[in-house]
Amino acid sequence: MTTEHFDIFVIGAGPGGYVAALKAAQMGAKAAVAEQHHLGGTCLNYGCIPSKALLSSAELLHSVQNARKWGVTVSGEVGFDWQEITKHKDKILRQLRGGVASLFKGRGVTQLTGHGNLDGAGRLVVTPSDGPARVVTAGKVIIATGSVPVRIPGWPTDAAVVCTSDEAVHWTSLPKKLLIVGGGVIGCEFACMMQAFGVAVTVVEMLPSLLPTLDQELGKALLAIFKGRGISCYLDTKVEGMELAAGGAAVKTRLSNGETLEFDRVLVAVGRRPNTEQLGLDSAGIQTSKRGFVPVNDHLETNVAGHYCIGDANGRCLLAHAASAHGVAAVENALGHAKPFVSPIPSAVYTFPEIASVGLSEQEARDQGLPIAIGRFPIGHLGKAMAARHTDGFVKMIRHRETGQLLGAHMLGQNATECIAATTALLHQKASMQDVADTVWAHPTISEAIKESAEDALNMGLHLPPRKIIRAPVGG
Ligand code: FAD
Ligand code: NAD
């Protein structure tokens, strides 16, 4: 075996790892990355991109089915071609994987195909599925091995019937009656998508609201929309048991409320666990939490100097853009430009209407005992929303009552995943709520609801009935 030395070695080429490798090369380091599967990780192959490709067809179908609302008539049957939809998805996945490979080539990143395993600090063995293992050493190591879906022990293991998102984004046919276990982000995006494709959807969530990690008003509003579309939602309910029925073609489920329901497919969307087993972490002395995440400090460094962990594997925030931002920060820290990672990270949920959030929720701010003021603005009051007939939703802003600082922004409505960028930038700049209100927002847009909501948080809104009269001093 030959041993090659790199300045930085990255394990895993998801949105965390591939960006880290590119950043390292850009900064002049000799960089390598090991990937055991497709380039692009969960995000590109089983997550963000395939799910959004499917959702784009689902949303268009939903709009066409409701075209009358816009005064548009569609004659003949409105349908869809699942093969064509999945063909488009697969084509863009191939394109994007090729894009990552060319970026590596362009920047001189060495790409090793195979399973990377630590063999002591700064030493790695990369074993391809065929061919000999390669041993490398590295000055700095970045662990970017991501996460995998949680599966529930004891439930049927036939992946054609009881699936996780790994299978669901690549379904070759659609179920008729689908149970989604978990009303989190995957559960809600799939519920919305599948209902639009004509699937009878039931969601079972064990906590009292959909999207329980976000501001509670978002899940509540989404629940009303889902119910309006005929999506059956059980909250505060657990699936207690599951067994195959009808010769394996159906699944019988027992709920904690005593009901027994039958489905032809189940999507288990109850969270993800870190992909940190069989990585040789012990050999390097790297500690993990009880759940297998790799704890890091604000420089994204593990308990072993020079060994960093980014993205889903460190458990700080399981989102693609968080992984990429961690990747850049870890490399900058590894190459001596010490900088803590403190940026606010937005969340975007691609239901229709969309949901987006950044900063503290009302609940989190109250739990921290912060004195807060809340501003709200219904999107339906906006000229743009009325004109475009997208009147569902609201913007909610949280302000620190004493410092005036913007603490959080939460939205449900058309284009919410784009609108959140503006509030994220303001939060990143530590803007005050007055800064948000003073900013001029283009008219007519949905983003005007951000300004209106900020004004409401300051009790200065003009397009809502006054909460109380504020008399400005005259001539003073
Ligand atoms: P991953 O993307 O999981 O990549 C890790 C890579 O490491 C994988 O390619 C894996 O093969 C490789 N690997 C693991 N172990 C080894 C080893 N020992 N040797 C070599 N290679 C190894 N996030 C968003 O921000 N927006 C979304 O819209 C969104 N949608 C999603 C939809 C779904 C259905 C799912 C499941 C997730 C979604 N996510 C979304 C989350 C997002 O995909 C993850 O947060 C992101 O992919 C994490 O990036 P990562 O680089 O940390 O890990
Ligand atoms: P999640 O943590 O968002 O939701 C899981 C849900 O399942 C929770 O609400 C939980 O209370 C519920 N649950 C757990 N066990 C249950 C049980 N036995 N019965 C009923 N409900 C149960 O996780 P997810 O939806 O699986 O998504 C995984 C990760 O992928 C998330 O962390 C998310 O950040 C990421 N993701 C992001 C996007 C996006 O950004 N648009 C989309 C999809 C996934």
Side-chain angles (χ1 to χ4, degrees), residues 11-12 14-16 34-36 41-43 46-48 52 114-116 144-147 165 186 272 275 279 311-312 318-321 323 350:
I11 315 176
E35 173 54 59
Q36 63 189 7
T42 304
C43 168
Y46 300 97
C48 324
K52 270 80 236 180
H115 180 84
T145 51
S147 65
S165 55
I186 294 181
R272 295 177 64 84
N275 202 359
L279 198 53
D312 283 11
L318 279 70
L319 292 173
H321 42 282
Y350 297 80

PDB file of all heavy atoms in Angstrom, residues 11-12 14-16 34-36 41-43 46-48 52 114-116 144-147 165 186 272 275 279 311-312 318-321 323 350, ligand 1:
ATOM      1  N   ILE A  11     -14.182  13.247   4.608  1.00  0.00           N
ATOM      2  CA  ILE A  11     -14.891  11.958   4.439  1.00  0.00           C
ATOM      3  C   ILE A  11     -16.359  12.274   4.165  1.00  0.00           C
ATOM      4  O   ILE A  11     -17.065  12.797   5.039  1.00  0.00           O
ATOM      5  CB  ILE A  11     -14.795  11.054   5.685  1.00  0.00           C
ATOM      6  CG1 ILE A  11     -13.364  11.019   6.220  1.00  0.00           C
ATOM      7  CG2 ILE A  11     -15.279   9.643   5.352  1.00  0.00           C
ATOM      8  CD1 ILE A  11     -13.220  10.211   7.510  1.00  0.00           C
ATOM      9  N   GLY A  12     -16.818  11.957   2.955  1.00  0.00           N
ATOM     10  CA  GLY A  12     -18.212  12.204   2.572  1.00  0.00           C
ATOM     11  C   GLY A  12     -18.323  13.407   1.644  1.00  0.00           C
ATOM     12  O   GLY A  12     -17.766  14.476   1.941  1.00  0.00           O
ATOM     13  N   GLY A  14     -21.284  14.967   0.491  1.00  0.00           N
ATOM     14  CA  GLY A  14     -22.609  15.589   0.454  1.00  0.00           C
ATOM     15  C   GLY A  14     -22.409  17.099   0.361  1.00  0.00           C
ATOM     16  O   GLY A  14     -21.295  17.572   0.095  1.00  0.00           O
ATOM     17  N   PRO A  15     -23.485  17.891   0.612  1.00  0.00           N
ATOM     18  CA  PRO A  15     -23.331  19.349   0.514  1.00  0.00           C
ATOM     19  C   PRO A  15     -22.337  19.914   1.521  1.00  0.00           C
ATOM     20  O   PRO A  15     -21.781  20.995   1.308  1.00  0.00           O
ATOM     21  CB  PRO A  15     -24.737  19.871   0.790  1.00  0.00           C
ATOM     22  CG  PRO A  15     -25.475  18.743   1.423  1.00  0.00           C
ATOM     23  CD  PRO A  15     -24.850  17.487   0.931  1.00  0.00           C
ATOM     24  N   GLY A  16     -22.098  19.187   2.611  1.00  0.00           N
ATOM     25  CA  GLY A  16     -21.067  19.623   3.564  1.00  0.00           C
ATOM     26  C   GLY A  16     -19.683  19.303   3.014  1.00  0.00           C
ATOM     27  O   GLY A  16     -18.843  20.190   2.826  1.00  0.00           O
ATOM     28  N   ALA A  34     -13.235  11.434   0.162  1.00  0.00           N
ATOM     29  CA  ALA A  34     -13.650  10.050  -0.098  1.00  0.00           C
ATOM     30  C   ALA A  34     -15.171  10.003  -0.105  1.00  0.00           C
ATOM     31  O   ALA A  34     -15.814  10.571   0.790  1.00  0.00           O
ATOM     32  CB  ALA A  34     -13.124   9.126   0.996  1.00  0.00           C
ATOM     33  N   GLU A  35     -15.755   9.359  -1.104  1.00  0.00           N
ATOM     34  CA  GLU A  35     -17.215   9.177  -1.149  1.00  0.00           C
ATOM     35  C   GLU A  35     -17.495   7.723  -1.512  1.00  0.00           C
ATOM     36  O   GLU A  35     -16.957   7.205  -2.482  1.00  0.00           O
ATOM     37  CB  GLU A  35     -17.851  10.149  -2.151  1.00  0.00           C
ATOM     38  CG  GLU A  35     -19.333   9.928  -2.406  1.00  0.00           C
ATOM     39  CD  GLU A  35     -20.211   9.911  -1.155  1.00  0.00           C
ATOM     40  OE1 GLU A  35     -20.232  10.905  -0.416  1.00  0.00           O
ATOM     41  OE2 GLU A  35     -20.868   8.866  -0.904  1.00  0.00           O
ATOM     42  N   GLN A  36     -18.369   7.104  -0.715  1.00  0.00           N
ATOM     43  CA  GLN A  36     -18.636   5.674  -0.929  1.00  0.00           C
ATOM     44  C   GLN A  36     -19.796   5.425  -1.891  1.00  0.00           C
ATOM     45  O   GLN A  36     -19.982   4.308  -2.365  1.00  0.00           O
ATOM     46  CB  GLN A  36     -18.935   4.999   0.405  1.00  0.00           C
ATOM     47  CG  GLN A  36     -20.187   5.527   1.097  1.00  0.00           C
ATOM     48  CD  GLN A  36     -20.362   5.016   2.512  1.00  0.00           C
ATOM     49  OE1 GLN A  36     -19.479   4.360   3.048  1.00  0.00           O
ATOM     50  NE2 GLN A  36     -21.496   5.325   3.118  1.00  0.00           N
ATOM     51  N   GLY A  41     -24.293  13.440  -1.938  1.00  0.00           N
ATOM     52  CA  GLY A  41     -24.876  12.981  -0.671  1.00  0.00           C
ATOM     53  C   GLY A  41     -26.387  12.849  -0.671  1.00  0.00           C
ATOM     54  O   GLY A  41     -27.028  12.702  -1.718  1.00  0.00           O
ATOM     55  N   THR A  42     -26.951  12.909   0.526  1.00  0.00           N
ATOM     56  CA  THR A  42     -28.402  12.777   0.696  1.00  0.00           C
ATOM     57  C   THR A  42     -29.123  13.870  -0.077  1.00  0.00           C
ATOM     58  O   THR A  42     -30.115  13.620  -0.776  1.00  0.00           O
ATOM     59  CB  THR A  42     -28.759  12.896   2.190  1.00  0.00           C
ATOM     60  OG1 THR A  42     -28.020  11.932   2.918  1.00  0.00           O
ATOM     61  CG2 THR A  42     -30.248  12.695   2.426  1.00  0.00           C
ATOM     62  N   CYS A  43     -28.623  15.093   0.066  1.00  0.00           N
ATOM     63  CA  CYS A  43     -29.293  16.254  -0.522  1.00  0.00           C
ATOM     64  C   CYS A  43     -29.554  16.037  -2.008  1.00  0.00           C
ATOM     65  O   CYS A  43     -30.683  16.153  -2.474  1.00  0.00           O
ATOM     66  CB  CYS A  43     -28.420  17.485  -0.280  1.00  0.00           C
ATOM     67  SG  CYS A  43     -28.919  18.916  -1.216  1.00  0.00           S
ATOM     68  N   TYR A  46     -31.083  11.762  -2.496  1.00  0.00           N
ATOM     69  CA  TYR A  46     -32.243  11.203  -1.784  1.00  0.00           C
ATOM     70  C   TYR A  46     -33.034  12.268  -1.020  1.00  0.00           C
ATOM     71  O   TYR A  46     -33.917  11.927  -0.245  1.00  0.00           O
ATOM     72  CB  TYR A  46     -31.785  10.126  -0.785  1.00  0.00           C
ATOM     73  CG  TYR A  46     -31.078   8.974  -1.458  1.00  0.00           C
ATOM     74  CD1 TYR A  46     -29.692   8.929  -1.526  1.00  0.00           C
ATOM     75  CD2 TYR A  46     -31.810   7.949  -2.063  1.00  0.00           C
ATOM     76  CE1 TYR A  46     -29.034   7.891  -2.183  1.00  0.00           C
ATOM     77  CE2 TYR A  46     -31.170   6.915  -2.713  1.00  0.00           C
ATOM     78  CZ  TYR A  46     -29.786   6.896  -2.771  1.00  0.00           C
ATOM     79  OH  TYR A  46     -29.161   5.879  -3.431  1.00  0.00           O
ATOM     80  N   GLY A  47     -32.667  13.539  -1.184  1.00  0.00           N
ATOM     81  CA  GLY A  47     -33.280  14.547  -0.310  1.00  0.00           C
ATOM     82  C   GLY A  47     -33.804  15.754  -1.061  1.00  0.00           C
ATOM     83  O   GLY A  47     -34.759  15.667  -1.844  1.00  0.00           O
ATOM     84  N   CYS A  48     -33.137  16.896  -0.814  1.00  0.00           N
ATOM     85  CA  CYS A  48     -33.607  18.195  -1.304  1.00  0.00           C
ATOM     86  C   CYS A  48     -33.985  18.159  -2.782  1.00  0.00           C
ATOM     87  O   CYS A  48     -35.098  18.551  -3.151  1.00  0.00           O
ATOM     88  CB  CYS A  48     -32.517  19.258  -1.159  1.00  0.00           C
ATOM     89  SG  CYS A  48     -31.476  19.119   0.290  1.00  0.00           S
ATOM     90  N   LYS A  52     -37.773  18.006  -4.391  1.00  0.00           N
ATOM     91  CA  LYS A  52     -38.285  19.257  -4.980  1.00  0.00           C
ATOM     92  C   LYS A  52     -38.638  19.079  -6.450  1.00  0.00           C
ATOM     93  O   LYS A  52     -39.530  19.750  -6.975  1.00  0.00           O
ATOM     94  CB  LYS A  52     -37.284  20.400  -4.797  1.00  0.00           C
ATOM     95  CG  LYS A  52     -37.521  21.157  -3.506  1.00  0.00           C
ATOM     96  CD  LYS A  52     -36.951  20.465  -2.296  1.00  0.00           C
ATOM     97  CE  LYS A  52     -37.852  20.151  -1.176  1.00  0.00           C
ATOM     98  NZ  LYS A  52     -37.217  19.487  -0.040  1.00  0.00           N
ATOM     99  N   GLY A 114     -14.909   5.180  -2.392  1.00  0.00           N
ATOM    100  CA  GLY A 114     -14.834   4.070  -1.455  1.00  0.00           C
ATOM    101  C   GLY A 114     -15.176   4.513  -0.050  1.00  0.00           C
ATOM    102  O   GLY A 114     -15.409   5.711   0.208  1.00  0.00           O
ATOM    103  N   HIS A 115     -15.227   3.534   0.841  1.00  0.00           N
ATOM    104  CA  HIS A 115     -15.584   3.795   2.237  1.00  0.00           C
ATOM    105  C   HIS A 115     -14.356   4.298   2.999  1.00  0.00           C
ATOM    106  O   HIS A 115     -13.332   3.621   3.049  1.00  0.00           O
ATOM    107  CB  HIS A 115     -16.114   2.505   2.869  1.00  0.00           C
ATOM    108  CG  HIS A 115     -16.504   2.659   4.289  1.00  0.00           C
ATOM    109  ND1 HIS A 115     -17.739   3.126   4.667  1.00  0.00           N
ATOM    110  CD2 HIS A 115     -15.807   2.431   5.432  1.00  0.00           C
ATOM    111  CE1 HIS A 115     -17.792   3.175   5.991  1.00  0.00           C
ATOM    112  NE2 HIS A 115     -16.637   2.756   6.477  1.00  0.00           N
ATOM    113  N   GLY A 116     -14.468   5.481   3.569  1.00  0.00           N
ATOM    114  CA  GLY A 116     -13.355   6.058   4.338  1.00  0.00           C
ATOM    115  C   GLY A 116     -13.457   5.653   5.799  1.00  0.00           C
ATOM    116  O   GLY A 116     -14.534   5.705   6.388  1.00  0.00           O
ATOM    117  N   ALA A 144     -17.708  14.383   7.292  1.00  0.00           N
ATOM    118  CA  ALA A 144     -18.925  14.948   6.672  1.00  0.00           C
ATOM    119  C   ALA A 144     -19.788  13.790   6.178  1.00  0.00           C
ATOM    120  O   ALA A 144     -20.228  13.775   5.029  1.00  0.00           O
ATOM    121  CB  ALA A 144     -18.535  15.866   5.525  1.00  0.00           C
ATOM    122  N   THR A 145     -20.008  12.831   7.077  1.00  0.00           N
ATOM    123  CA  THR A 145     -20.634  11.576   6.651  1.00  0.00           C
ATOM    124  C   THR A 145     -22.164  11.589   6.739  1.00  0.00           C
ATOM    125  O   THR A 145     -22.799  10.580   6.430  1.00  0.00           O
ATOM    126  CB  THR A 145     -20.069  10.403   7.477  1.00  0.00           C
ATOM    127  OG1 THR A 145     -20.179  10.751   8.867  1.00  0.00           O
ATOM    128  CG2 THR A 145     -18.615  10.138   7.139  1.00  0.00           C
ATOM    129  N   GLY A 146     -22.743  12.712   7.167  1.00  0.00           N
ATOM    130  CA  GLY A 146     -24.188  12.882   7.064  1.00  0.00           C
ATOM    131  C   GLY A 146     -25.012  11.997   7.975  1.00  0.00           C
ATOM    132  O   GLY A 146     -24.590  11.631   9.088  1.00  0.00           O
ATOM    133  N   SER A 147     -26.210  11.644   7.488  1.00  0.00           N
ATOM    134  CA  SER A 147     -27.163  10.901   8.309  1.00  0.00           C
ATOM    135  C   SER A 147     -27.962   9.947   7.430  1.00  0.00           C
ATOM    136  O   SER A 147     -27.928  10.043   6.203  1.00  0.00           O
ATOM    137  CB  SER A 147     -28.106  11.880   9.006  1.00  0.00           C
ATOM    138  OG  SER A 147     -28.880  12.558   8.037  1.00  0.00           O
ATOM    139  N   SER A 165     -37.714   7.851   3.279  1.00  0.00           N
ATOM    140  CA  SER A 165     -37.584   8.805   2.163  1.00  0.00           C
ATOM    141  C   SER A 165     -36.575   8.311   1.131  1.00  0.00           C
ATOM    142  O   SER A 165     -36.672   8.666  -0.041  1.00  0.00           O
ATOM    143  CB  SER A 165     -37.193  10.181   2.693  1.00  0.00           C
ATOM    144  OG  SER A 165     -36.017  10.094   3.461  1.00  0.00           O
ATOM    145  N   ILE A 186     -40.307  16.042   6.368  1.00  0.00           N
ATOM    146  CA  ILE A 186     -40.495  15.069   5.280  1.00  0.00           C
ATOM    147  C   ILE A 186     -41.967  14.669   5.208  1.00  0.00           C
ATOM    148  O   ILE A 186     -42.566  14.624   4.130  1.00  0.00           O
ATOM    149  CB  ILE A 186     -39.606  13.821   5.491  1.00  0.00           C
ATOM    150  CG1 ILE A 186     -38.133  14.214   5.383  1.00  0.00           C
ATOM    151  CG2 ILE A 186     -39.957  12.719   4.482  1.00  0.00           C
ATOM    152  CD1 ILE A 186     -37.148  13.078   5.553  1.00  0.00           C
ATOM    153  N   ARG A 272     -33.819  11.402  11.432  1.00  0.00           N
ATOM    154  CA  ARG A 272     -32.614  10.783  10.867  1.00  0.00           C
ATOM    155  C   ARG A 272     -31.577  10.588  11.962  1.00  0.00           C
ATOM    156  O   ARG A 272     -31.572  11.298  12.960  1.00  0.00           O
ATOM    157  CB  ARG A 272     -32.058  11.666   9.738  1.00  0.00           C
ATOM    158  CG  ARG A 272     -33.036  11.746   8.562  1.00  0.00           C
ATOM    159  CD  ARG A 272     -32.534  12.674   7.471  1.00  0.00           C
ATOM    160  NE  ARG A 272     -31.321  12.231   6.831  1.00  0.00           N
ATOM    161  CZ  ARG A 272     -31.261  11.362   5.816  1.00  0.00           C
ATOM    162  NH1 ARG A 272     -32.367  10.839   5.322  1.00  0.00           N
ATOM    163  NH2 ARG A 272     -30.104  11.030   5.293  1.00  0.00           N
ATOM    164  N   ASN A 275     -24.591   9.159  10.522  1.00  0.00           N
ATOM    165  CA  ASN A 275     -23.894   8.079   9.836  1.00  0.00           C
ATOM    166  C   ASN A 275     -22.450   8.058  10.358  1.00  0.00           C
ATOM    167  O   ASN A 275     -21.522   8.442   9.642  1.00  0.00           O
ATOM    168  CB  ASN A 275     -23.918   8.420   8.340  1.00  0.00           C
ATOM    169  CG  ASN A 275     -23.731   7.211   7.480  1.00  0.00           C
ATOM    170  OD1 ASN A 275     -23.564   6.102   7.984  1.00  0.00           O
ATOM    171  ND2 ASN A 275     -23.743   7.406   6.184  1.00  0.00           N
ATOM    172  N   LEU A 279     -16.685   4.032  11.224  1.00  0.00           N
ATOM    173  CA  LEU A 279     -15.912   5.153  10.700  1.00  0.00           C
ATOM    174  C   LEU A 279     -14.551   5.214  11.393  1.00  0.00           C
ATOM    175  O   LEU A 279     -13.727   6.065  11.081  1.00  0.00           O
ATOM    176  CB  LEU A 279     -16.729   6.436  10.981  1.00  0.00           C
ATOM    177  CG  LEU A 279     -16.414   7.694  10.234  1.00  0.00           C
ATOM    178  CD1 LEU A 279     -16.410   7.466   8.730  1.00  0.00           C
ATOM    179  CD2 LEU A 279     -17.442   8.777  10.580  1.00  0.00           C
ATOM    180  N   GLY A 311     -22.087  19.400   9.182  1.00  0.00           N
ATOM    181  CA  GLY A 311     -23.343  18.907   8.605  1.00  0.00           C
ATOM    182  C   GLY A 311     -24.128  18.010   9.540  1.00  0.00           C
ATOM    183  O   GLY A 311     -24.001  18.062  10.768  1.00  0.00           O
ATOM    184  N   ASP A 312     -24.947  17.146   8.946  1.00  0.00           N
ATOM    185  CA  ASP A 312     -25.863  16.300   9.732  1.00  0.00           C
ATOM    186  C   ASP A 312     -25.120  15.514  10.808  1.00  0.00           C
ATOM    187  O   ASP A 312     -25.677  15.257  11.884  1.00  0.00           O
ATOM    188  CB  ASP A 312     -26.577  15.294   8.811  1.00  0.00           C
ATOM    189  CG  ASP A 312     -27.701  15.934   8.002  1.00  0.00           C
ATOM    190  OD1 ASP A 312     -27.797  17.170   7.978  1.00  0.00           O
ATOM    191  OD2 ASP A 312     -28.487  15.178   7.379  1.00  0.00           O
ATOM    192  N   LEU A 318     -29.875  19.816  10.805  1.00  0.00           N
ATOM    193  CA  LEU A 318     -29.861  18.829   9.715  1.00  0.00           C
ATOM    194  C   LEU A 318     -30.421  19.431   8.427  1.00  0.00           C
ATOM    195  O   LEU A 318     -31.492  19.048   7.951  1.00  0.00           O
ATOM    196  CB  LEU A 318     -30.636  17.562  10.123  1.00  0.00           C
ATOM    197  CG  LEU A 318     -29.837  16.573  10.996  1.00  0.00           C
ATOM    198  CD1 LEU A 318     -29.595  17.110  12.385  1.00  0.00           C
ATOM    199  CD2 LEU A 318     -30.534  15.227  11.080  1.00  0.00           C
ATOM    200  N   LEU A 319     -29.694  20.405   7.885  1.00  0.00           N
ATOM    201  CA  LEU A 319     -30.114  21.042   6.639  1.00  0.00           C
ATOM    202  C   LEU A 319     -28.912  21.188   5.707  1.00  0.00           C
ATOM    203  O   LEU A 319     -27.779  21.388   6.172  1.00  0.00           O
ATOM    204  CB  LEU A 319     -30.705  22.425   6.917  1.00  0.00           C
ATOM    205  CG  LEU A 319     -32.042  22.439   7.664  1.00  0.00           C
ATOM    206  CD1 LEU A 319     -32.439  23.856   8.042  1.00  0.00           C
ATOM    207  CD2 LEU A 319     -33.142  21.783   6.839  1.00  0.00           C
ATOM    208  N   ALA A 320     -29.172  21.137   4.403  1.00  0.00           N
ATOM    209  CA  ALA A 320     -28.085  21.136   3.423  1.00  0.00           C
ATOM    210  C   ALA A 320     -27.259  22.424   3.480  1.00  0.00           C
ATOM    211  O   ALA A 320     -26.020  22.376   3.437  1.00  0.00           O
ATOM    212  CB  ALA A 320     -28.672  20.953   2.028  1.00  0.00           C
ATOM    213  N   HIS A 321     -27.943  23.579   3.570  1.00  0.00           N
ATOM    214  CA  HIS A 321     -27.196  24.841   3.562  1.00  0.00           C
ATOM    215  C   HIS A 321     -26.401  25.008   4.851  1.00  0.00           C
ATOM    216  O   HIS A 321     -25.363  25.677   4.859  1.00  0.00           O
ATOM    217  CB  HIS A 321     -28.123  26.040   3.310  1.00  0.00           C
ATOM    218  CG  HIS A 321     -29.417  25.969   4.048  1.00  0.00           C
ATOM    219  ND1 HIS A 321     -30.465  25.177   3.644  1.00  0.00           N
ATOM    220  CD2 HIS A 321     -29.831  26.562   5.183  1.00  0.00           C
ATOM    221  CE1 HIS A 321     -31.474  25.311   4.481  1.00  0.00           C
ATOM    222  NE2 HIS A 321     -31.099  26.143   5.443  1.00  0.00           N
ATOM    223  N   ALA A 323     -24.937  22.427   6.334  1.00  0.00           N
ATOM    224  CA  ALA A 323     -23.774  21.573   6.090  1.00  0.00           C
ATOM    225  C   ALA A 323     -22.736  22.314   5.246  1.00  0.00           C
ATOM    226  O   ALA A 323     -21.530  22.300   5.552  1.00  0.00           O
ATOM    227  CB  ALA A 323     -24.217  20.287   5.393  1.00  0.00           C
ATOM    228  N   TYR A 350     -41.172  22.919   1.787  1.00  0.00           N
ATOM    229  CA  TYR A 350     -41.715  23.095   0.433  1.00  0.00           C
ATOM    230  C   TYR A 350     -43.110  22.500   0.273  1.00  0.00           C
ATOM    231  O   TYR A 350     -43.384  21.791  -0.680  1.00  0.00           O
ATOM    232  CB  TYR A 350     -40.722  22.553  -0.588  1.00  0.00           C
ATOM    233  CG  TYR A 350     -39.433  23.343  -0.542  1.00  0.00           C
ATOM    234  CD1 TYR A 350     -38.476  23.087   0.438  1.00  0.00           C
ATOM    235  CD2 TYR A 350     -39.203  24.387  -1.420  1.00  0.00           C
ATOM    236  CE1 TYR A 350     -37.317  23.836   0.522  1.00  0.00           C
ATOM    237  CE2 TYR A 350     -38.052  25.146  -1.342  1.00  0.00           C
ATOM    238  CZ  TYR A 350     -37.112  24.862  -0.364  1.00  0.00           C
ATOM    239  OH  TYR A 350     -35.973  25.624  -0.283  1.00  0.00           O
TER     240      TYR A 350
HETATM  241  P1  FAD B   1     -25.069  13.911   3.467  1.00  0.00           P
HETATM  242  O1  FAD B   1     -25.758  14.699   2.421  1.00  0.00           O
HETATM  243  O2  FAD B   1     -25.823  12.810   4.122  1.00  0.00           O
HETATM  244  O3  FAD B   1     -23.754  13.337   2.791  1.00  0.00           O
HETATM  245  C1  FAD B   1     -22.901  12.465   3.455  1.00  0.00           C
HETATM  246  C2  FAD B   1     -22.135  11.684   2.416  1.00  0.00           C
HETATM  247  O4  FAD B   1     -21.119  10.943   3.066  1.00  0.00           O
HETATM  248  C3  FAD B   1     -22.988  10.666   1.668  1.00  0.00           C
HETATM  249  O5  FAD B   1     -22.821  10.841   0.284  1.00  0.00           O
HETATM  250  C4  FAD B   1     -22.453   9.313   2.130  1.00  0.00           C
HETATM  251  O6  FAD B   1     -22.488   8.334   1.100  1.00  0.00           O
HETATM  252  C5  FAD B   1     -21.007   9.673   2.463  1.00  0.00           C
HETATM  253  N1  FAD B   1     -20.395   8.788   3.450  1.00  0.00           N
HETATM  254  C6  FAD B   1     -20.879   8.418   4.658  1.00  0.00           C
HETATM  255  N2  FAD B   1     -19.982   7.665   5.310  1.00  0.00           N
HETATM  256  C7  FAD B   1     -18.917   7.541   4.500  1.00  0.00           C
HETATM  257  C8  FAD B   1     -17.666   6.885   4.623  1.00  0.00           C
HETATM  258  N3  FAD B   1     -17.334   6.222   5.726  1.00  0.00           N
HETATM  259  N4  FAD B   1     -16.804   6.958   3.588  1.00  0.00           N
HETATM  260  C9  FAD B   1     -17.127   7.641   2.444  1.00  0.00           C
HETATM  261  N5  FAD B   1     -18.286   8.292   2.291  1.00  0.00           N
HETATM  262  C10 FAD B   1     -19.170   8.255   3.304  1.00  0.00           C
HETATM  263  N6  FAD B   1     -32.214  20.055   3.510  1.00  0.00           N
HETATM  264  C11 FAD B   1     -32.418  21.307   3.074  1.00  0.00           C
HETATM  265  O7  FAD B   1     -31.681  22.211   3.457  1.00  0.00           O
HETATM  266  N7  FAD B   1     -33.426  21.603   2.210  1.00  0.00           N
HETATM  267  C12 FAD B   1     -34.274  20.654   1.751  1.00  0.00           C
HETATM  268  O8  FAD B   1     -35.181  20.956   0.962  1.00  0.00           O
HETATM  269  C13 FAD B   1     -34.094  19.322   2.195  1.00  0.00           C
HETATM  270  N8  FAD B   1     -34.901  18.339   1.760  1.00  0.00           N
HETATM  271  C14 FAD B   1     -34.687  17.066   2.191  1.00  0.00           C
HETATM  272  C15 FAD B   1     -35.565  16.080   1.760  1.00  0.00           C
HETATM  273  C16 FAD B   1     -35.396  14.766   2.189  1.00  0.00           C
HETATM  274  C17 FAD B   1     -36.344  13.692   1.689  1.00  0.00           C
HETATM  275  C18 FAD B   1     -34.303  14.443   3.052  1.00  0.00           C
HETATM  276  C19 FAD B   1     -34.079  13.029   3.480  1.00  0.00           C
HETATM  277  C20 FAD B   1     -33.439  15.428   3.490  1.00  0.00           C
HETATM  278  C21 FAD B   1     -33.629  16.743   3.076  1.00  0.00           C
HETATM  279  N9  FAD B   1     -32.801  17.771   3.508  1.00  0.00           N
HETATM  280  C22 FAD B   1     -33.021  19.051   3.096  1.00  0.00           C
HETATM  281  C23 FAD B   1     -31.688  17.523   4.433  1.00  0.00           C
HETATM  282  C24 FAD B   1     -30.349  17.446   3.670  1.00  0.00           C
HETATM  283  O9  FAD B   1     -30.428  16.463   2.660  1.00  0.00           O
HETATM  284  C25 FAD B   1     -29.218  17.118   4.632  1.00  0.00           C
HETATM  285  O10 FAD B   1     -29.244  18.036   5.715  1.00  0.00           O
HETATM  286  C26 FAD B   1     -27.874  17.246   3.937  1.00  0.00           C
HETATM  287  O11 FAD B   1     -27.782  16.357   2.859  1.00  0.00           O
HETATM  288  C27 FAD B   1     -26.733  16.953   4.922  1.00  0.00           C
HETATM  289  O12 FAD B   1     -25.528  17.113   4.261  1.00  0.00           O
HETATM  290  P2  FAD B   1     -24.194  16.377   4.776  1.00  0.00           P
HETATM  291  O13 FAD B   1     -23.133  16.756   3.794  1.00  0.00           O
HETATM  292  O14 FAD B   1     -24.000  16.623   6.189  1.00  0.00           O
HETATM  293  O15 FAD B   1     -24.516  14.810   4.647  1.00  0.00           O
END
